[in-house]
Amino acid sequence: GAVVSQHPSWVICKSGTSVKIECRSLDFQATTMFWYRQFPKQSLMLMATSNEGSKATYEQGVEKDKFLINHASLTLSTLTVTSAHPEDSSFYICSATSLRLAKNIQYFGAGTRLSVL
Amino acid sequence: DAKTTQPPSMDCAEGRAANLPCNHSTISGNEYVYWYRQIHSQGPQYIIHGLKNNETNEMASLIITEDRKSSTLILPHATLRDTAVYYCIAETSGSRLTFGEGTQLTVNP
């Protein structure tokens, strides 16, 4: 149980285009979803926290107009990287928590590797 | 969140116990100790967490010192598939995890 699916796993796009990444909780309803970014040989950095039906809370230094987060249902959150540039190339990972499951544990997706040419 | 300190890397022989230390000397009374691991190019995986008492599950054991200033994650019989970066995180609710650099554990055949 507690499976989080992330799609796509790998995406290559041209500079200036937008890319949407989906994060789904497959067998539970996610109270909260999180988006992280990880550059090569670095640790994960939290980008934003989102609760279903409300606006995401972005971490300091993360541009909310560039990284659009939509959490329309209890099982789906999307991250859209708008007008992507090569410096946005990174590993993007989502996670989800549920108060009905083991408390305070985050379940992570497999990640999406974004390469912007 | 309390800052945690972990050795950057460790090696372990396959089949032996892997003991990964973590220092969290500034941990507050309501902060849990969480352990996650990340196998190369994958999302992190939850391992175990605890507050005061030692904890054990099917993956590992967590030993927390009485003063709570340090802890040790124990993988009782390490396998090659346990090679990963292990993160120790001190956090009140688990809802806002701050990942440090972690420990790269390499299990050798």
Side-chain angles (χ1 to χ4, degrees), chain A residues 32-59:
Chain A
T32 305
M33 286 185 167
F34 305 85
W35 288 95
Y36 295 81
R37 179 168 53 181
Q38 185 175 32
F39 292 107
K41 298 189 184 300
Q42 295 186 21
S43 191
L44 286 79
M45 295 294 293
L46 179 64
M47 298 176 67
T49 302
S50 73
N51 294 295
E52 183 264 340
S54 62
K55 289 184 178 180
T57 301
Y58 291 82
E59 295 298 301

Side-chain angles (χ1 to χ4, degrees), chain B residues 48-57 60-66 70-72 74:
Chain B
I48 199 167
H49 76 287
L51 184 62
K52 295 180 182 179
N53 300 322
N54 298 336
E55 303 287 341
T56 296
N57 62 21
S61 294
L62 174 60
I63 307 299
I64 303 175
T65 58
E66 194 169 338
S70 66
S71 61
T72 301
I74 302 173

